[in-house]
Amino acid sequence: MIDANLFSLSQTTAVQSGYPFRGTIEGAQDGGVIALQMKDVDPESGIAWAGALRTHLPGRKGPSWLQPGDLLFVAKGARFYAVVVDTPPMPSVCGPAFFHLRVQPGVAVEPAFLAWQINQPPFQRLLMQSAEGSGQLSIRRPVLEALPLAVPPLSQQHRIVALDRAARAERATLRRLIQNREQQLHALAEALSAASMRSQQATRP
């Protein structure tokens, strides 16, 4: 049994919409800003900065720059999840498919714990039940802001985050082992096939 205080997300975390790009985000090699899109984030591995698009920001709206410890919430698509922003390599924003979350100053919530909790099955079920749309499901900002959270003391949050990181590392190790074994099996199959072909050619008159 873990003691926890109950909050709605908006009581602990500021929620902002992603930068309002209109249409396709135009890339620019000399762009001074990274614009994160859905392809750049993954619930398991986080943010892939290396492949993210550089651009110039259009319009006059002042950007909400991403900072270490912020969260991105994927608000459109088949799955709704959160990832923690590590260290952006240059000024960065997120596109309109995201909500940009930032834990409010003085609130005892570890961002990695918040992302972990949002991504767990009970919270995923709540989000899916509240999703709207026919062609593409999405979560409205008031729904996300009303998401109920159970927040234990920081020591417990840190313990849960450490367990989650250990589980991720174990999954990554298992994936590499499976990939190596499959490569070995594929090499054996190729060798057997080549041997069979050579045998057939040798027996032809």
Side-chain angles (χ1 to χ4, degrees):
M1 185 72 177
I2 299 178
D3 292 330
N5 294 314
L6 304 181
F7 300 99
S8 65
L9 181 77
S10 63
Q11 289 178 292
T12 65
T13 306
V15 179
Q16 301 183 71
S17 299
Y19 192 84
F21 293 98
R22 293 185 177 179
T24 303
I25 303 174
E26 299 293 335
Q29 290 187 348
D30 62 343
V33 174
I34 287 177
L36 290 177
Q37 304 171 79
M38 288 175 62
K39 68 177 182 60
D40 303 317
V41 302
D42 179 87
E44 192 70 17
S45 55
I47 299 173
W49 294 103
L53 190 71
R54 293 177 63 161
T55 188
H56 299 291
L57 288 186
R60 298 180 179 178
K61 177 179 171 57
S64 175
W65 300 115
L66 299 178
Q67 298 179 10
D70 288 351
L71 289 87
L72 300 180
F73 176 81
V74 176
K76 296 181 180 178
R79 184 182 174 190
F80 311 111
Y81 60 89
V83 299
V84 178
V85 176
D86 42 23
T87 302
M90 59 192 301
S92 303
V93 298
C94 59
F98 300 96
F99 285 120
H100 176 187
L101 280 57
R102 181 171 295 164
V103 176
Q104 296 170 7
V107 173
V109 174
E110 169 68 33
F113 170 80
L114 179 56
W116 172 84
Q117 189 165 73
I118 289 173
N119 295 341
Q120 295 312 298
F123 299 86
Q124 291 289 300
R125 286 195 294 272
L126 284 174
L127 291 167
M128 289 304 296
Q129 289 167 3
S130 303
E132 298 178 359
S134 54
Q136 184 184 49
L137 293 176
S138 63
I139 292 292
R140 292 187 300 111
R141 181 169 166 174
V143 170
L144 180 61
E145 290 177 331
L147 188 71
L149 302 176
V151 181
L154 276 173
S155 60
Q156 294 282 1
Q157 295 179 41
H158 294 157
R159 187 173 67 85
I160 290 170
V161 169
L163 287 172
D164 181 50
R165 287 174 177 159
R168 287 170 189 256
E170 289 165 359
R171 286 195 293 271
T173 299
L174 284 174
R175 281 197 295 273
R176 286 195 295 272
L177 288 172
I178 291 170
Q179 187 177 30
N180 290 340
R181 188 66 70 204
E182 287 177 341
Q183 288 175 346
Q184 288 178 335
L185 289 169
H186 290 163
L188 283 171
E190 292 290 345
L192 289 171
S193 176
S196 174
M197 293 293 291
R198 287 196 298 272
S199 176
Q200 289 180 0
Q201 291 172 351
T203 56
R204 285 176 183 167

